[in-house]
Amino acid sequence: MPSAEPAPAAGAFHRFMADAARVGALVVQPRMGFADPARMRAGLIATRAADATTVGTLTLDSFTRVGDYAAAARAAAQGHHLNGYPLVSMDRETTTGLLDGVHGPGFPVQVRHGSARPGRIVEALIAAGLDATEGGPVSYCLPYGRTPLATSVRAWAEACRSLAALREAGTEPHLETFGGCMLGQLCPPALLVALSVLEAKFFRRHGLRSVSLSYAQQISPEQDEEAVHALRALAADHLPDTSWHVVLYTYMGVYPETRVGALRLVADAARLAVRTGAARLIVKTPAESARIPSVEENVTALETAAAAARTARPAAPPPSTGIEAEARSLVEAVLHLHDDLGQALVRAFAHGYLDVPFCLHPDNAGRTRSFISDRGRLEWSRTGSLPLGRSTAATPSRRLTSSGLLHALNHVRNRYDDPAALLGRAG
Amino acid sequence: MPVVYPHHQPPDSPRHAVLTTIASDSHTWNLLFLQLLLEEQGWEVTNLGACVPVDVLVEEAAARTPDLIVVSTVNGHGAEEAPGLARAVRAVPALAEVPLVVGGKLDTSGSTGPDVHAALTDAGFDAVLTGASAVPGLLALLDGLPEHRHGRSHADAVR
Ligand code: B12
């Protein structure tokens, strides 16, 4: 923590993560959300009671994410199931009531949403006494709908300022970037690392001093280890005067369908987090492939991850294959586009300097393409206009077909659901 | 080995499908997959992308009546939102008879049961496709559709 001024009541999330860093325990966190406040409260209580170092989550529903608060209110009033908690549509007392006696310095709660216009959500979370959330002008825009990137950039700048204003009241707010995830799969790591760093920098420039940088587990452990180390190296250079940590997301693409496979994947994510020095892990449950998980399934995932983490130790980075250099080229090129980082991001996408493979958002150039190499790594088959510095040898792409796409999307699921693979490991 | 769906030779004036999702759903891998699948079957596809407001769908479809409307949604809000979408589409006279199908993961509990289906067909969907049989079901349905529902002139088709 760089700030020298007195901080009477440091933000719950910020302080908890700073304390956990001293102890060296991996913090594990669910992505949990229910429309029913009683169930939401029960979920938080169970998260807190899990045999793990945990923080809580309010994951918001899709109506709230796209700003249709009336639809969220209607569905919740009728007792319909939503895919998350409709924070903006609930009155403040309902939310403070469900948090009462659960949320506090020993158990901070973060709001995870996925909104390109987060104004009302940030307002509501602050009103409910919370101080941590997630997002970013790019990562909560491109994967999350059709809002123009420029609109999202403006809305996120404003949201950052609202959050940062909490510091005046002695609370250190925390903001996590979703940039290391984007569409969840088939994005070469260097671009994820670059986006994570650029968004964290955006948060810092708009007044946040406590941030986390995400990276989502991909398909190759070696490539992922290299990527997280690259992320840490870039963060160290680009975020002076900032308290930051790395948060790893358990695989965010098509998930194994078998219980054994699903739990093996989250355990591997936990070990990856410890090996690379990530401070926090977001888990996925055995229900991931099919439906919204129950409270119990969330607890199982948290405890599986914590147990796996206890068996791992930090490790030296693997030999470089150039992820850090590629990520640095991308970040530098974007920063040179404009003094205002928001403007730079908008231009970067317009020029194709940032270009997410397979992303259908109208502001994404769509000139890049990725593939899974023979060595089981994510590589570029088309680099479009990405300024990757040294000429990254892109392997020419084959025609994209429905079966080819599905095959690539199912790569991880098939590996983890295959019982032979499990035997191979155990033996 | 990946499953390979048989390709159809594109006819001179391909049939046209509008591919969409519900307004709250931002998932797009499903849309990309279905676009490729339909194109491989010889269809011309207008993929409306993520989080499509019902008005945008209705406007697109009314401007150039398609031979099929495919709604794909996986975020768990389909059972809640798709009936309204179907009613809005069916309320437009030009779209009252266009084949309209929905599929994906339609509620938050992973059900593929008849309850969800009944409400959706009542609202105006011709088919509800979920679970492992969804894609084969769609392919069978495509085979059963006439080559040219509207007997559009070529000029119309390339408009
Ligand atoms: C990748 C992913 C994401 C990415 C999406 C990026 C993007 N822009 O596409 C990110 C990380 C951004 C994301 C966000 C969210 N996600 Co998501 N996501 C997934 C995940 C992991 C994989 C989806 C995928 O890529 N599938 C690949 C495609 C090809 O397969 P598919 O979509 O299943 O479609 C197949 C079939 O269903 C079928 N099909 C689909 N539609 C149709 C239609 C017809 C007509 C036919 C015939 C067939 C058909 O064809 C396809 C091929 O077989 C799934 C879980 C999983 N499957 O492992 C969750 C999942 C779909 N997400 C889910 C949710 C809830 C969300 C969020 C709301 C966040 C949250 N509350 O957890 C947000 C969405 C916000 C919004 N506004 O809607 C839930 C839905 C729960 C439910 N239905 O009960 C899932 C199941 C995860 C879970 N268990 O919680 N997600």
Side-chain angles (χ1 to χ4, degrees):
Chain A
M1 257 217 54
S3 96
E5 66 224 62
F13 197 93
H14 167 76
R15 175 113 320 275
F16 187 91
M17 287 308 303
D19 291 347
R22 268 192 294 279
V23 183
L26 179 69
V27 174
V28 293
Q29 181 179 0
R31 30 178 94 253
M32 188 197 294
F34 308 108
D36 174 17
R39 194 157 178 224
M40 193 68 247
R41 179 176 171 85
L44 291 173
I45 291 172
T47 302
R48 192 180 60 177
D51 182 15
T53 306
T54 57
V55 293
T57 304
L58 290 181
T59 290
L60 307 192
D61 73 284
S62 291
F63 284 131
T64 303
R65 290 162 185 252
V66 298
D68 193 349
Y69 311 118
R74 217 179 306 124
Q78 292 171 342
H80 292 184
H81 292 289
L82 294 176
N83 57 18
Y85 179 70
L87 176 69
V88 176
S89 311
M90 293 293 189
D91 48 38
R92 192 171 67 92
E93 290 68 34
T94 305
T95 304
T96 51
L98 85 83
L99 292 169
D100 185 42
V102 184
H103 167 254
F107 185 68
V109 172
Q110 185 198 31
V111 172
R112 307 182 71 88
H113 53 105
S115 177
R117 302 172 198 237
R120 296 282 300 276
I121 293 170
V122 167
E123 226 172 78
L125 76 90
I126 291 172
L130 299 175
D131 54 39
T133 187
E134 185 211 6
V138 173
S139 64
Y140 263 20
C141 179
L142 267 51
Y144 283 109
R146 55 207 299 127
T147 305
L149 181 59
T151 306
S152 178
V153 163
R154 274 193 302 276
W156 271 96
E158 210 168 294
C160 287
R161 286 193 290 272
S162 306
L163 279 169
L166 282 174
R167 304 184 67 250
E168 289 158 24
T171 295
E172 187 69 66
H174 182 87
L175 188 52
E176 165 187 337
T177 149
F178 188 72
C181 179
M182 297 306 291
L183 303 190
Q185 50 204 342
L186 300 185
C187 183
L191 181 55
L192 297 174
V193 168
L195 284 166
S196 214
V197 170
L198 287 164
E199 286 197 327
K201 222 172 155 64
F202 179 92
F203 298 162
R204 183 66 189 86
R205 290 200 180 168
H206 289 285
L208 274 302
R209 294 192 179 182
S210 174
V211 303
S212 42
L213 299 99
S214 62
Y215 179 77
Q217 178 187 24
Q218 302 293 322
I219 64 171
S220 152
E222 295 76 33
Q223 200 178 20
D224 286 343
E225 284 191 29
E226 182 182 346
V228 179
H229 283 288
L231 179 60
R232 293 159 59 91
L234 264 75
D237 291 351
H238 282 278
L239 298 169
D241 193 22
T242 310
S243 165
W244 60 267
H245 69 264
V246 169
V247 51
L248 185 78
Y249 300 165
T250 304
Y251 191 61
M252 291 293 286
V254 174
Y255 213 74
E257 290 173 355
T258 62
R259 186 180 166 83
V260 185
L263 291 177
R264 212 153 57 75
L265 186 48
V266 71
D268 281 351
R271 284 185 283 264
L272 174 65
V274 174
R275 288 175 65 81
T276 55
R280 188 158 52 94
L281 172 75
I282 312 290
V283 303
K284 287 246 170 162
T285 78
E288 172 64 20
S289 69
R291 55 174 167 76
I292 297 295
S294 66
V295 171
E296 294 70 32
E297 285 160 336
N298 274 290
V299 172
T300 301
L302 292 167
E303 294 185 342
T304 302
R310 289 193 277 268
T311 67
R313 293 283 167 273
S320 167
T321 64
I323 295 176
E324 184 180 328
E326 268 188 31
R328 278 190 196 279
S329 305
L330 293 170
V331 169
E332 298 301 336
V334 174
L335 293 176
H336 279 121
L337 287 173
H338 203 286
D339 286 343
D340 177 294
L341 183 46
Q343 290 306 309
L345 287 168
V346 172
R347 287 192 186 180
F349 277 94
H351 296 342
Y353 280 20
L354 297 172
D355 187 348
V356 180
F358 304 104
C359 175
L360 303 184
H361 191 285
D363 290 329
N364 189 66
R367 292 194 292 268
T368 62
R369 183 72 60 75
S370 63
F371 76 109
I372 298 174
S373 74
D374 295 342
R375 294 184 301 155
R377 298 166 64 98
L378 284 170
E379 310 283 1
W380 296 107
S381 52
R382 258 197 252 146
T383 54
S385 309
L386 297 178
L388 288 175
R390 66 187 177 97
S391 63
T392 300
T395 308
S397 52
R398 278 187 289 174
R399 201 168 69 88
L400 185 64
T401 62
S402 63
S403 49
L405 176 68
L406 218 50
H407 190 59
L409 289 171
N410 287 337
H411 180 87
V412 166
R413 186 189 85 178
N414 290 343
R415 215 168 72 211
Y416 280 82
D417 277 347
D418 180 359
L422 183 64
L423 286 177
R425 272 172 63 101
Chain B
M1 269 306 288
V3 190
V4 178
Y5 302 105
H7 289 213
H8 283 209
Q9 210 47 36
D12 292 343
S13 55
R15 293 178 291 178
H16 175 223
V18 168
L19 174 60
T20 190
T21 187
I22 56 174
S24 82
D25 195 343
S26 74
H27 292 91
T28 50
W29 294 103
N30 46 327
L31 300 177
L32 183 56
F33 166 78
L34 287 165
Q35 176 183 345
L36 293 168
L37 183 81
L38 287 163
E39 286 172 353
E40 288 157 11
Q41 299 305 309
W43 286 69
E44 180 201 339
V45 179
T46 302
N47 182 346
L48 297 181
C51 295
V52 184
V54 173
D55 297 353
V56 170
L57 164 64
V58 167
E59 210 172 288
E60 283 288 330
R64 174 186 164 198
T65 309
D67 300 291
L68 173 68
I69 299 175
V70 178
V71 181
S72 168
T73 171
V74 296
N75 75 351
H77 282 196
E80 182 78 23
E81 263 177 279
L85 179 157
R87 283 190 292 269
V89 167
R90 291 309 189 206
V92 180
L95 303 177
E97 301 289 325
V98 174
L100 176 65
V101 306
V102 63
K105 300 181 200 293
L106 300 177
D107 64 19
T108 58
S109 46
S111 50
T112 49
D115 302 5
V116 192
H117 292 202
L120 289 163
T121 42
D122 287 353
F125 284 104
D126 297 304
V128 182
L129 302 153
T130 57
S133 62
V135 172
L138 178 65
L139 292 176
L141 192 142
L142 296 181
D143 287 341
L145 291 177
E147 275 304 314
H148 276 291
R149 249 192 96 251
H150 302 286
R152 286 174 304 165
S153 70
H154 184 66
D156 243 11
V158 297
R159 196 181 72 102

